[in-house]
Amino acid sequence: MKEWDQFWKEYSTSRAEFYYIKLRDRVIRDAAKKLNKEKIKILEAGCGYGSNSRLLNKDSKFEVWCMDLSEEAISKVKSEIKNSFVGDIEKMQFKDNFFDIVFSSGVIEHFKDDSNAVNELYRVTKKNGNIITFVPGRYSLWQAYKLAMGRRWIHGYEKNYTIGMLKKSFLKHD
């Protein structure tokens, strides 16, 4: 845990990350449009710096919530997003069917068995809501970058997904 606190303490957004923030924002907003609601309650589970939540929070259509295991991450996010909490994605403190959209980016790949985290994502999402997760693809530039980093990789265990693996993780909960 201290590794993540240190990571978020020293974090700065890279140029590449700005690109991904924009892509994620488009996906989340497209999902929100399809819900066709005046006010949409959104949770970023494992928010880290909360780049996407900060963008969404500027739009009055969204009620944004953030949760992360890192106290350092939450201390940085809480100044902009009042509904920010330290918490574990495998045991979230939220009520069942509470959020319209729950999203995570760079989170579930850190679990050897992601089923508890995925179960919790389903539990806190309304039945007609959306779960969105962004994970490393098995065949991607990200994987090449990780290989190049070799032993300097600081993020601990991290699996990569094929479409089939991701479907298997999520479809067993329908």
Side-chain angles (χ1 to χ4, degrees):
M1 190 58 249
K2 288 184 181 194
E3 302 86 28
W4 285 110
D5 281 336
Q6 189 62 35
F7 176 81
W8 293 118
K9 187 176 187 176
E10 298 171 0
Y11 177 79
S12 65
T13 308
S14 69
R15 285 189 359 213
E17 183 66 11
F18 281 119
Y19 171 77
Y20 288 114
I21 292 166
K22 288 179 185 177
L23 287 177
R24 290 189 301 255
D25 188 63
R26 187 169 40 213
V27 169
I28 295 162
R29 287 177 188 275
D30 284 349
K33 283 179 191 172
K34 291 176 184 172
L35 290 175
N36 197 25
K37 294 179 72 174
E38 283 186 36
K39 192 75 165 179
I40 296 173
K41 195 178 291 187
I42 296 180
L43 169 66
E44 183 173 6
C47 65
Y49 186 70
S51 298
N52 283 98
S53 288
R54 291 169 192 258
L55 280 176
L56 295 165
N57 198 49
K58 293 176 183 178
D59 188 330
S60 62
K61 179 179 181 121
F62 302 118
E63 181 182 330
V64 181
W65 297 61
C66 289
M67 186 206 69
D68 199 283
L69 200 54
S70 168
E71 291 181 24
E72 183 67 34
I74 292 301
S75 72
K76 290 187 176 223
V77 172
K78 197 155 186 84
S79 63
E80 286 185 50
I81 301 170
K82 64 178 177 159
N83 294 321
S84 297
F85 303 93
V86 174
D88 185 342
I89 195 170
E90 292 186 294
K91 296 177 274 193
M92 290 194 263
Q93 66 266 39
F94 306 110
K95 295 177 185 175
D96 294 358
N97 307 306
F98 192 69
F99 296 100
D100 298 297
I101 295 175
V102 176
F103 76 96
S104 68
S105 177
V107 177
I108 68 167
E109 67 268 17
H110 295 287
F111 295 92
K112 289 184 179 175
D113 178 0
D114 60 23
S115 60
N116 289 338
V118 172
N119 284 339
E120 280 293 277
L121 295 174
Y122 271 92
R123 184 185 67 76
V124 301
T125 305
K126 292 178 181 176
K127 298 302 179 209
N128 61 342
N130 290 290
I131 298 170
I132 303 166
T133 188
F134 303 94
V135 295
R138 166 134 326 148
Y139 309 106
S140 64
L141 289 174
W142 180 249
Q143 295 310 314
Y145 173 74
K146 281 176 47 180
L147 287 171
M149 290 295 290
R151 293 177 189 241
R152 295 179 295 166
W153 189 247
I154 63 168
H155 302 300
Y157 176 80
E158 183 180 282
K159 69 179 150 191
N160 48 65
Y161 289 81
T162 63
I163 296 282
M165 290 168 64
L166 198 55
K167 282 183 180 179
K168 185 176 178 186
S169 288
F170 280 84
L171 290 180
K172 64 184 170 189
H173 299 278
D174 280 347

